[in-house]
Amino acid sequence: MISKTILFIILWLIGMIGVISTIWIALPIPAEELPLPIIVVKLINLILPTFLLLIAVLIGVNLAYKVGLSAPFFEALASSAQQPILAIQPQVVPGLVGGVFGGVAISTLSFLWRSSLPNDFVAQAKALSNNTPLLTRILYGGITEEILMRWGLMSLLVWAAWRVLQKGQGNPHTVYVVLAIGVSAIAFGLGHLPLAFTLSSQATTSLVTYIIVGNAFFGLIAGYLYWQKGLEAAIIAHVTVHLVVAAIDHLKSFR
């Protein structure tokens, strides 16, 4: 028997580690230009993701299982009847494969698109990357974002289609799940636009397309893994993407 309360606590705490890790990001704004001390600004910036994480975890805990979506490893931790190691084993290889493929594809896309992007965006994005610890990218990007986008948003979209269009009967039709994967992937891409606009004074079509396509592409991979294997497979893939991209960037620095 899975305890929803324990499952909620586990996912929220793990997601919050990622949220808190964003404090380590060096803001690309001189401290003297900030209206408040930098630590206060960083703490204020934690409010929205903390609230969104709370909502996403609640949605997933209450709706995911109704439409056949799951987080096998975390659910095993919340249940005395299941073994966590056995629960996560089927997700490791698919997650790694999806992450390596996604990381190589994103790095290739970045290389090919670079010449059409605004120069200030390229420079500021590189500076932000250098100022963001890899651990933060893994904790927030790899774990917290998956809880937000897959466990929360995608679960909600599948449940809403199933509840409204199927009257809550049977298993969700594949087309509804595929649409939910697509919509959540696009939302994932759109969610990165505000940051992109702060890094560039030029909101060009090429920049907008690059941000949406690059992030939505991986969103499709993560959504598929969540559907077929579980939340942890999507998390493993997302963590692997950051590791692969970091490794490729590191290799480039030697050239």
Side-chain angles (χ1 to χ4, degrees), residues 142-233:
I143 299 176
T144 305
E145 285 186 349
E146 286 308 309
I147 294 175
L148 291 170
M149 302 309 301
R150 254 55 68 177
W151 185 247
L153 180 58
M154 183 175 149
S155 295
L156 177 62
L157 292 173
V158 175
W159 176 84
W162 171 75
R163 189 71 180 83
V164 173
L165 302 176
Q166 288 185 228
K167 309 301 181 183
Q169 301 297 313
N171 296 320
H173 293 320
T174 299
V175 66
Y176 301 150
V177 181
V178 171
L179 286 173
I181 291 173
V183 172
S184 59
I186 293 173
F188 183 59
L190 291 172
H192 286 77
L193 285 179
L195 175 59
F197 293 156
T198 64
L199 299 178
S200 176
S201 59
Q202 308 172 60
T204 65
T205 300
S206 179
L207 175 60
V208 172
T209 305
Y210 168 72
I211 295 298
I212 295 177
V213 170
N215 287 286
F217 173 76
F218 174 72
L220 295 175
I221 295 174
Y224 176 81
L225 289 171
Y226 175 40
W227 174 33
Q228 292 295 315
K229 297 297 180 179
L231 177 64
E232 295 83 3

Side-chain angles (χ1 to χ4, degrees), residues 19-247:
V19 172
I20 294 171
S21 75
T22 60
I23 291 178
W24 301 332
I25 299 175
L27 297 177
I29 304 172
E32 59 272 14
E33 294 183 12
L34 295 173
L36 296 169
I38 191 167
I39 186 61
V40 176
V41 173
K42 288 187 175 184
L43 289 174
I44 291 174
N45 287 338
L46 300 183
I47 296 175
L48 180 58
T50 296
F51 174 73
L52 293 176
L53 178 66
L54 176 68
I55 299 302
V57 175
L58 280 172
I59 289 173
V61 167
N62 287 285
L63 302 183
Y65 77 96
K66 294 182 178 180
V67 290
L69 299 172
S70 65
F73 176 72
F74 296 122
E75 290 171 4
L77 291 177
S79 171
S80 58
Q82 302 180 52
Q83 297 183 36
I85 296 300
L86 294 179
I88 200 171
Q89 284 179 350
Q91 304 183 70
V92 175
V93 173
L96 290 174
V97 171
V100 170
F101 176 71
V104 172
I106 289 172
S107 292
T108 302
L109 181 68
S110 177
F111 174 76
L112 295 176
W113 218 300
R114 182 187 180 94
S115 61
S116 65
L117 296 174
N119 291 331
D120 60 344
F121 170 78
V122 174
Q124 291 291 343
K126 183 177 181 180
L128 179 62
S129 177
N130 293 335
N131 292 332
T132 303
L134 178 59
L135 186 58
T136 297
R137 288 181 247 171
I138 289 173
L139 293 175
Y140 185 82
I143 299 176
T144 305
E145 285 186 349
E146 286 308 309
I147 294 175
L148 291 170
M149 302 309 301
R150 254 55 68 177
W151 185 247
L153 180 58
M154 183 175 149
S155 295
L156 177 62
L157 292 173
V158 175
W159 176 84
W162 171 75
R163 189 71 180 83
V164 173
L165 302 176
Q166 288 185 228
K167 309 301 181 183
Q169 301 297 313
N171 296 320
H173 293 320
T174 299
V175 66
Y176 301 150
V177 181
V178 171
L179 286 173
I181 291 173
V183 172
S184 59
I186 293 173
F188 183 59
L190 291 172
H192 286 77
L193 285 179
L195 175 59
F197 293 156
T198 64
L199 299 178
S200 176
S201 59
Q202 308 172 60
T204 65
T205 300
S206 179
L207 175 60
V208 172
T209 305
Y210 168 72
I211 295 298
I212 295 177
V213 170
N215 287 286
F217 173 76
F218 174 72
L220 295 175
I221 295 174
Y224 176 81
L225 289 171
Y226 175 40
W227 174 33
Q228 292 295 315
K229 297 297 180 179
L231 177 64
E232 295 83 3
I235 288 175
I236 292 170
H238 205 149
V239 168
T240 303
V241 162
H242 285 292
L243 292 174
V244 169
V245 170

